[in-house]
Amino acid sequence: MPRILITGAAGFLGSHLCDRFIAEGYEVVGMDNLITGDLRNLEHLQGLPEFTFVHHDVSTHIHLNGPLDYILHFASPASPIDYLKIPIQTLKVGSLGTHNCLGLALAKKARILVASTSEVYGDPTVHPQTESYWGNVNPIGPRGVYDEAKRFQEALTMAYHTYHGLETRIIRIFNTYGPRMRLNDGRVLPAFIGQALRGEDLTVFGDGSQTRSFCYVDDLVEGIYRLLLSDYALPVNIGNPDEITILQFAEEIIKLTGTTQKIVFEPLPKDDPTQRQPDITKARELLGWAPRVSRAEGLKITYDAFRNLPEEALYKQEHRDFKAFVK
Ligand code: UDP
């Protein structure tokens, strides 16, 4: 049984990755400091012999007994309001956390895949974004703490690859959605669905002409799985190129949820990227990967998951009181 460490295991993507690798016959060690993660995302794995949870902050030295074949480094705050709330932790987990994961991979002779992001392209002047584009990032803006940590992460990962010969993989993840996102994490999809469920107006920032391209979580997980098992060490974009304006997106959510509320416009946050769409030629050619779930299908599954959450989740400022679940 191959053994894999997944950092950020209690988060949205981390928990879906735990499920996938257990289903593929791996022994999974899930690690999380539970700052933005939530143990409820892992509740269904409790008691499985092939799953262990370790409560640890990967920005400090990681000690793990036993052999390790793979590491997926997915620990990080991932929503713009989280970067503002916890900027130092965001910088640390992308930099020091990555360093600790790379060091552990080297010591264990494990292959490591690190979660990078479309944010390395910043507010892109090249459209759609290819992996060869260097980006347009404001290092001292509100997003700089995330963007620059992820850019440093890529540089450090490549240095371990070239200097130490470590087997490394870098995925650049574009906006992804699905069940287990935090309903109140501030990102646009949970924000709009949460507003519709509470009977509030939908808040579009700016005039809503900025674009994003939303990928359903199962498609992303398939891309991660294929990239990890590939022999390609340079960054690969994984995302769904189906681009939409945020205003159109709000209209889609209104239709999906049947809400009678209206759209209200609020100021555009500083450095909000005006356009984003992945060029996935590399993923198609190298991994034979392409997204399969349409936005209509993915949004329906996600909406059904959100509306079945307990009512208190809808009104809680933050849905992360994990302590109740630590026995
Ligand atoms: N957005 C919005 N209303 C909200 C939350 C977000 O219009 O209540 C916009 C935000 O300004 C951005 C887009 O939706 O243009 C995507 O934001 P998100 O925070 O989900 O992720 P980003 O891609 O910006 O990191």
Side-chain angles (χ1 to χ4, degrees):
M1 216 185 213
R3 189 163 185 243
I4 187 166
L5 169 67
I6 302 179
T7 77
F12 162 49
L13 297 181
S15 66
H16 283 281
L17 287 166
C18 290
D19 290 348
R20 175 64 188 263
F21 280 87
I22 285 171
E24 296 288 345
Y26 288 58
E27 183 189 337
V28 174
V29 179
M31 193 171 274
D32 206 298
N33 66 357
L34 301 174
I35 288 189
T36 57
D38 189 328
L39 278 182
R40 273 169 283 206
N41 292 334
L42 298 174
E43 229 173 7
H44 58 291
L45 302 179
Q46 261 177 21
L48 285 186
E50 60 270 45
F51 181 73
T52 322
F53 179 74
V54 181
H55 186 190
H56 179 69
D57 180 352
V58 298
S59 299
T60 64
H61 179 79
I62 307 168
H63 178 78
L64 199 67
N65 283 326
L68 203 56
D69 302 291
Y70 300 100
I71 299 176
L72 298 179
H73 181 34
F74 275 70
S76 177
S79 98
I81 60 161
D82 282 340
Y83 323 151
L84 288 174
K85 271 193 236 160
I86 43 174
I88 315 282
Q89 283 101 325
T90 303
L91 276 159
K92 282 171 77 175
V93 74
S95 54
L96 306 179
T98 299
H99 191 211
N100 290 328
C101 288
L102 288 164
L104 182 67
L106 196 60
K108 301 280 189 186
K109 298 189 171 47
R111 179 182 296 179
I112 179 169
L113 181 148
V114 298
S116 186
T117 167
S118 56
E119 286 280 328
V120 299
Y121 303 123
D123 188 3
T125 55
V126 166
H127 194 74
Q129 291 79 56
T130 52
E131 290 87 348
S132 57
Y133 175 49
W134 290 357
N136 176 34
V137 170
N138 175 4
I140 56 166
R143 289 170 180 255
V145 294
Y146 183 69
D147 301 7
E148 295 297 0
K150 291 293 189 181
R151 289 169 68 94
F152 176 82
Q153 172 184 71
E154 290 198 7
L156 193 61
T157 302
M158 285 314 294
Y160 267 72
H161 178 68
T162 51
Y163 184 75
H164 289 301
L166 187 69
E167 287 196 43
T168 57
R169 308 285 178 265
I170 299 172
I171 180 175
R172 290 186 181 152
I173 299 171
F174 284 66
N175 295 65
T176 302
Y177 69 95
R180 302 188 197 156
M181 290 183 96
R182 280 176 15 239
L183 200 47
N184 297 305
D185 81 354
R187 286 190 279 185
V188 67
L189 179 138
F192 285 171
I193 293 186
Q195 287 161 344
L197 288 172
R198 287 189 297 269
E200 297 167 5
D201 291 339
L202 273 64
T203 53
V204 166
F205 297 163
D207 62 5
S209 63
Q210 70 273 31
T211 68
R212 295 293 184 274
S213 307
F214 296 98
C215 183
Y216 186 64
V217 62
D218 288 358
D219 282 331
L220 180 85
V221 165
E222 179 64 28
I224 293 165
Y225 186 72
R226 290 187 189 206
L227 180 61
L228 180 69
L229 299 185
S230 78
D231 57 4
Y232 192 75
L234 295 175
V236 178
N237 289 339
I238 298 282
N240 189 326
D242 188 4
E243 186 180 3
I244 184 174
T245 70
I246 294 302
L247 186 57
Q248 287 170 325
F249 190 60
E251 283 157 1
E252 279 190 8
I253 300 289
I254 286 175
K255 220 168 170 189
L256 171 77
T257 58
T259 178
T260 51
Q261 301 299 130
K262 58 183 191 308
I263 291 171
V264 292
F265 294 91
E266 289 191 359
L268 189 68
K270 185 166 159 41
D271 296 344
D272 199 291
T274 51
Q275 52 182 358
R276 182 181 288 159
Q277 186 203 127
D279 182 316
I280 58 165
T281 310
K282 249 195 190 187
R284 281 184 199 279
E285 288 175 359
L286 290 166
L287 312 175
W289 178 88
R292 302 167 75 135
V293 181
S294 69
R295 198 167 54 245
E297 286 173 87
L299 284 182
K300 192 179 169 324
I301 299 166
T302 308
Y303 176 52
D304 286 343
F306 279 176
R307 68 175 160 177
N308 286 319
L309 286 173
E311 178 135 340
E312 113 259 351
L314 206 53
Y315 291 94
K316 203 172 262 173
Q317 195 51 35
E318 279 297 352
H319 184 50
R320 43 164 105 143
D321 60 341
F322 58 87
K323 287 207 176 70
F325 290 83
V326 185
K327 295 279 182 299

